[in-house]
Amino acid sequence: MTALDQPAPRTHRGLSLPKLGVSGWVVAGALIVSASAMAPVVQNSLMTTQGRNLEALEGEQTALQVEMRQLEAEIARLISVDRIARRALEIGLVPGANAIFVSIGEAGPEPPKIPAEHLPEASEPGSGPAP
């Protein structure tokens, strides 16, 4: 038989298809079935891992919120007026007996000469004229 008498290999759009024996197709099918069976297992494993990570982060968030509430309560206790008054008495501070008020009849010093671009805008608090 000459080369011209032999049938040409089957092609699909110009590509030649490999000839696999029965065992080759069985192995390829087994690989596809195995990969298809493993996909849900891998996906379930990833979701379980992410769920555990999420639970750990939520636990950490709860612990931080508890600590934040405790710190807020400590701040409220430390800045209470009664506590500050008690502490002032403990270190020897006492209220003044007679308050002295001083009134000044003269005008204060002239404000410094500042270029207009360095002056605060009128919308800023405290930027109005001094009393």
Side-chain angles (χ1 to χ4, degrees):
M1 224 182 195
T2 63
L4 295 175
D5 293 336
Q6 293 179 353
R10 298 172 82 190
T11 60
H12 181 66
R13 296 186 186 174
L15 300 174
S16 62
L17 298 174
K19 288 188 177 184
L20 295 177
V22 173
S23 63
W25 287 109
V26 170
V27 170
L31 288 175
I32 291 172
V33 168
S34 297
S36 299
M38 289 300 293
V41 173
V42 170
Q43 183 181 14
N44 191 21
S45 175
L46 290 173
M47 293 301 288
T48 302
T49 302
Q50 289 177 351
R52 287 184 184 151
N53 291 343
L54 180 62
E55 286 177 1
L57 289 173
E58 286 174 345
E60 185 179 340
Q61 180 184 19
T62 302
L64 289 172
Q65 286 175 341
V66 167
E67 183 182 356
M68 188 171 66
R69 299 295 183 258
Q70 289 172 344
L71 290 172
E72 288 173 349
E74 180 71 12
I75 289 170
R77 184 186 67 79
L78 290 174
I79 63 171
S80 78
V81 175
D82 293 336
R83 183 198 161 279
I84 293 172
R86 278 194 318 269
R87 181 65 182 139
L89 289 174
E90 287 174 8
I91 62 174
L93 297 177
V94 293
N98 295 326
I100 301 173
F101 296 97
V102 178
S103 59
I104 301 174
E106 296 181 16
E110 288 289 322
K113 304 292 183 198
I114 300 174
E117 63 265 8
H118 297 295
L119 291 175
E121 294 180 18
S123 62
E124 292 182 16
S127 63

